[in-house]
Amino acid sequence: MRAAILSVGTELLFGQTVNTNAVYLSRKLNALGIDVMYHHTVGDNPDRLAEMIETSFRDCDLVITTGGLGPTQDDMTKETVCRIMGDHLVMHDDILRSIKNRMLSYKRVMTDNNIKQAEMPSGCRIFYNDSGTAPGFALDREREEGSGKKQWIACMPGPPGEMTGMFEKSVQPWLEELAKGCLYYREVKSFGIGESDLETILLPLIDGQTDPTIATYAKNGETMIRIASKRDTREEAMEAVAGMLERVEELCGQYIYSYDGEDYAQVVGKMLMERGLSISSAESCTGGMFAAALTDVPGISAVFDRGLVTYSNRAKTEELGVSHDTLSKYGAVSRETALEMAEGVRRVSGSDIGISVTGIAGPGGGTPEKPVGLVYIGFVYGEKRECREIRRMLNDRVRNRRNAMLSMFDVIYRNV
């Protein structure tokens, strides 16, 4: 089944609202084995909306819309869909009662334009809204008269909180009935290798692939491998993906840290909690990014004691005990300083692990000897006393800091 996602709302075109709905729906539809062919965005204009729906139906069996189901005059999705699908709107008393009760719970007076939301296409399947006043619906039509082949359109409200709840409760089960076959995939995350190098390693598996399929892509300093299979049953698809995953591991397993799309902080945080190892951090160039990422992990307070941002030389000396001689002789960005920072934070916290980072994030401040992108990560655990040097040479402060933060998690993952 081929699908198009059509987002309705002038605010999306103006950039006033970020379109998270399309990303969410793409993931969900692909997981159901439905191929997403297009993303379209159209303003609150019924003629352009009608044109875009018809354009989508030329190549697709399914069109999913979000937005334009509200009570105001510019919300015209239902009326436009009825015109295209050959249907008409009728009043649904049960929906009207539901809207009235919701307004009472909000302690708001129901206005006349809210009544419009209780009008639905006469032949539709209704998707009730547990989080708002706008229900969704689905309609079908024959692709060509007498062909017996159908096309479907499903319409949901635009607010993400309403749309996601409706999709998971009502739309997804409906689509599972329509979709033939089952798509299963694993998102494998790796670090320390670029996308082009990763693809080169995996070429023996990628060349001539049919099912399962392998795709590599890069995002925010990491590389990802998507292994997918579409079979008659979920069990068959899972078995096919597992077999391909074994072959992927043989080629690049040393770079893999996650097999289920988890972030590095989640993987490392869970590992530390499972092993009961406490940790504290001292950050310079990342300014607390490591601690912020780690504290996003539920339950991490069981092992994460403290995170210190020691940005200045004075802070490194006063908070961590880094010696003036070390800073004078080697500089703040050095192997020696990073190790003393890690030792210092472990000493003052009493944690099992001390991790530190110091570097030149840029875009200024670099020298030929110490260029922008140079980072040192100190790590102290038991008898281990390690320091990793990173030279990415990127004149991009944001990317350098993120890579330094990810490298801190990588050092822990590889050494604990």
Side-chain angles (χ1 to χ4, degrees), residues 143-179:
R143 180 181 286 274
E144 297 173 359
E145 189 174 350
S147 68
K149 296 181 179 179
K150 287 187 177 183
Q151 292 178 314
W152 297 267
I153 187 166
C155 302
M156 291 182 288
E162 297 181 32
M163 187 278 295
T164 55
M166 182 179 294
F167 183 88
E168 291 173 9
K169 181 179 179 180
S170 302
V171 180
Q172 181 168 318
W174 171 70
L175 289 174
E176 287 172 349
E177 296 174 11
L178 295 181

Side-chain angles (χ1 to χ4, degrees), residues 56-243:
S56 300
F57 270 141
R58 291 174 193 167
D59 293 330
C60 298
D61 313 291
L62 170 68
V63 174
I64 291 188
T65 75
T66 61
L69 299 180
T72 60
Q73 290 185 358
D74 61 354
D75 291 311
M76 295 292 291
T77 296
K78 284 188 294 190
E79 292 83 353
T80 304
V81 168
C82 280
R83 173 155 53 102
I84 291 172
M85 304 296 281
D87 207 316
H88 62 281
L89 295 175
V90 296
M91 180 62 65
H92 281 256
D93 292 335
D94 59 332
I95 296 176
L96 185 60
R97 283 193 298 271
S98 175
I99 294 172
K100 289 180 178 178
N101 291 334
R102 186 170 291 276
M103 288 297 179
L104 287 173
S105 69
Y106 293 159
K107 296 183 179 180
R108 289 167 51 189
V109 177
M110 182 172 173
T111 58
D112 290 341
N113 57 5
N114 282 119
I115 297 174
K116 169 186 174 182
Q117 293 181 294
E119 295 179 337
M120 303 296 288
S122 65
C124 76
R125 176 170 182 156
I126 296 173
F127 304 130
Y128 291 94
N129 189 343
D130 292 336
S131 303
T133 57
F137 64 92
L139 271 174
D140 64 74
R141 72 176 187 183
E142 279 193 304
R143 180 181 286 274
E144 297 173 359
E145 189 174 350
S147 68
K149 296 181 179 179
K150 287 187 177 183
Q151 292 178 314
W152 297 267
I153 187 166
C155 302
M156 291 182 288
E162 297 181 32
M163 187 278 295
T164 55
M166 182 179 294
F167 183 88
E168 291 173 9
K169 181 179 179 180
S170 302
V171 180
Q172 181 168 318
W174 171 70
L175 289 174
E176 287 172 349
E177 296 174 11
L178 295 181
K180 295 180 180 179
C182 179
L183 180 79
Y184 175 78
Y185 67 91
R186 298 282 293 274
E187 188 178 65
V188 180
K189 288 192 172 185
S190 61
F191 183 75
I193 184 172
E195 182 184 12
S196 58
D197 291 333
L198 182 62
E199 184 184 55
T200 300
I201 290 174
L202 295 173
L203 273 180
L205 303 179
I206 295 174
D207 283 346
Q209 64 180 338
T210 53
D211 186 292
T213 58
I214 299 174
T216 62
Y217 54 103
K219 183 179 180 182
N220 295 330
E222 302 169 274
T223 47
M224 278 153 270
I225 309 163
R226 188 175 185 270
I227 307 172
S229 177
K230 187 174 182 181
R231 303 293 173 102
D232 290 336
T233 66
R234 180 178 175 84
E235 290 71 24
E236 291 174 339
M238 290 175 67
E239 185 177 349
V241 169

Side-chain angles (χ1 to χ4, degrees), residues 174-381:
W174 171 70
L175 289 174
E176 287 172 349
E177 296 174 11
L178 295 181
K180 295 180 180 179
C182 179
L183 180 79
Y184 175 78
Y185 67 91
R186 298 282 293 274
E187 188 178 65
V188 180
K189 288 192 172 185
S190 61
F191 183 75
I193 184 172
E195 182 184 12
S196 58
D197 291 333
L198 182 62
E199 184 184 55
T200 300
I201 290 174
L202 295 173
L203 273 180
L205 303 179
I206 295 174
D207 283 346
Q209 64 180 338
T210 53
D211 186 292
T213 58
I214 299 174
T216 62
Y217 54 103
K219 183 179 180 182
N220 295 330
E222 302 169 274
T223 47
M224 278 153 270
I225 309 163
R226 188 175 185 270
I227 307 172
S229 177
K230 187 174 182 181
R231 303 293 173 102
D232 290 336
T233 66
R234 180 178 175 84
E235 290 71 24
E236 291 174 339
M238 290 175 67
E239 185 177 349
V241 169
M244 181 59 74
L245 182 56
E246 290 181 4
R247 300 176 67 186
V248 168
E249 284 183 299
E250 291 174 1
L251 296 176
C252 60
Q254 69 269 35
Y255 301 107
I256 295 172
Y257 73 82
S258 173
Y259 294 88
D260 295 298
E262 290 185 308
D263 292 335
Y264 225 154
Q266 294 173 301
V267 172
V268 169
K270 289 179 181 178
M271 180 182 72
L272 294 173
M273 287 187 285
E274 288 170 0
R275 301 184 186 183
L277 295 174
S278 59
I279 186 171
S280 290
S281 60
E283 300 178 66
S284 184
C285 62
T286 51
M289 291 173 67
F290 172 86
L294 193 58
T295 53
D296 278 340
V297 180
I300 199 66
S301 60
V303 294
F304 183 48
D305 181 77
R306 70 192 70 183
L308 304 179
V309 178
T310 53
Y311 212 70
S312 67
N313 284 357
R314 176 185 170 189
K316 292 176 177 65
T317 299
E318 292 183 355
E319 300 292 334
L320 304 173
V322 177
S323 74
H324 292 287
D325 289 344
T326 297
L327 291 168
S328 177
K329 184 176 181 180
Y330 300 105
V333 181
S334 64
R335 185 180 303 273
E336 291 77 11
T337 296
L339 282 170
E340 287 193 27
M341 289 172 66
E343 289 171 338
V345 76
R346 187 175 73 156
R347 183 179 61 254
V348 299
S349 67
S351 298
D352 297 313
I353 298 169
I355 184 87
S356 70
V357 62
T358 180
I360 304 171
T367 67
E369 295 77 22
K370 294 184 178 182
V372 170
L374 175 64
V375 171
Y376 290 99
I377 296 170
F379 175 81
V380 181
Y381 168 50

Side-chain angles (χ1 to χ4, degrees), residues 264 271 275 277 353 355 377 379-382 384-388 407-416:
Y264 225 154
M271 180 182 72
R275 301 184 186 183
L277 295 174
I353 298 169
I355 184 87
I377 296 170
F379 175 81
V380 181
Y381 168 50
K384 286 188 177 181
R385 193 172 180 270
E386 307 267 348
C387 185
R388 180 184 292 186
S407 296
M408 294 174 73
F409 287 111
D410 194 62
V411 167
I412 299 167
Y413 185 73
R414 308 295 173 187
N415 286 281
V416 172

